[in-house]
Amino acid sequence: MGRRADRQNKPGERDMEEKDILILAIESSCDETAAAVVRNGREALSNVIASQIALHTQFGGVVPEIASRKHIEQINQVITGALTEAGVSLSDITAIGVTYGPGLVGALLVGVAAAKAIAYAAKKPLIGVHHIEGHVAANFITSYPGQLSGRSAPASAKPKLEPPFVCLIVSGGHTHLVIVKDYGEFEIIGRTRDDAAGEAFDKVARAVGLGYPGGPKVDQAARDGNPHAIKFPRAKVEGAPYDFSFSGLKSAVLNHINHAKMTGEAIHVPDLAASFQKAVVEALVNRAILAAKEYGYDKLAIAGGVASNSALRAAMIEACEKNHLYFYYPAPILCTDNAAMIGAAAYYEYQKGIRHGWDLNAVPNLKLGER
Ligand code: KG4
Ligand code: ZN
């Protein structure tokens, strides 16, 4: 309705509708310290991410103790940055959303403590968000500052994604195929039996000396490689058509490397990267398409860090077109860890009346759908 008449905008401040719901969201579950302001669950007014990747690279992976310390150092300026970038002040914010699990306990605690302190001091409702629910909700953000205003989906997709739909969640710690029945309501129909997809990328990258984090490095190297150069196995889980298994593939890659070392053959990293990536992408795409068709949904979305993989996105677009499915994917920056996705998920939790108390704690192994 009407613009707020009771206050004058300061320079750089945004006009807000009175009915707008603004979530200040905080994410610190792993190695990114992030804060964002999200309007009405769909529009990221800001999305500030302080990445610690460079710090952990020298150790070949995330060191939990270092991650927690770095979060403490960064969190206040990241939150202030998110408010400033959005052109709002704390008094404009409707509620505070924060990731409280799953993740590294010491890392999660930093975000949860910051969110509780702000919510308490500013008398705002507090909403704890499941990290993976956040990844899925990245698909709801149709407007993003800078690069991607408007849509995060190809022309063939309906502009605004709403449940129900099938979602393939592929991150460093999770590989799940779910039916998103409603906002925040999931039915898990498939999961990995061993490594997560991102974990497989990271391990293979380490084995060929590409460094951490492996996913983007493999993605990059694969662009110059032949995906048919090496035949790697495609594992199926007996009696579970929607489950994944990547440990056999990972072992096959390691065997290939060892064999080459023993026989003195050179390893062609781009070919290996492309062949490995093709095996992962095929497993992901085939099961996701099968799920959408068998369960009778016409919308398919992807989420999580691996969803930014260029080969996966290309293969999904092609398969969805062939199978007459609408395909949704977040902007790459919204696939990897960020707080805008937490703000989008928190908005729908808020609409449902979910509020957490001051006893909200980090839950490192929080299950999807638990509140
Ligand atoms: O979702 P995310 O940022 O953190 C977790 O919640 O785990 O996912 C991180 C994972 C890492 O394993 C990383 O290697 C992988 O996502 N990843 C990628 C790409 N970008 C990130 N994997 C494949 N291709 C990419 N372009
Ligand atoms: Zn994540």
Side-chain angles (χ1 to χ4, degrees), residues 27 29-30 102 131-132 135 171-174 304-305 335-338 341:
E27 152 68 42
S29 65
C30 191
H131 180 74
I132 298 300
H135 273 302
S171 73
H174 295 82
C335 288
T336 43
D337 288 349
N338 67 88
M341 67 184 197

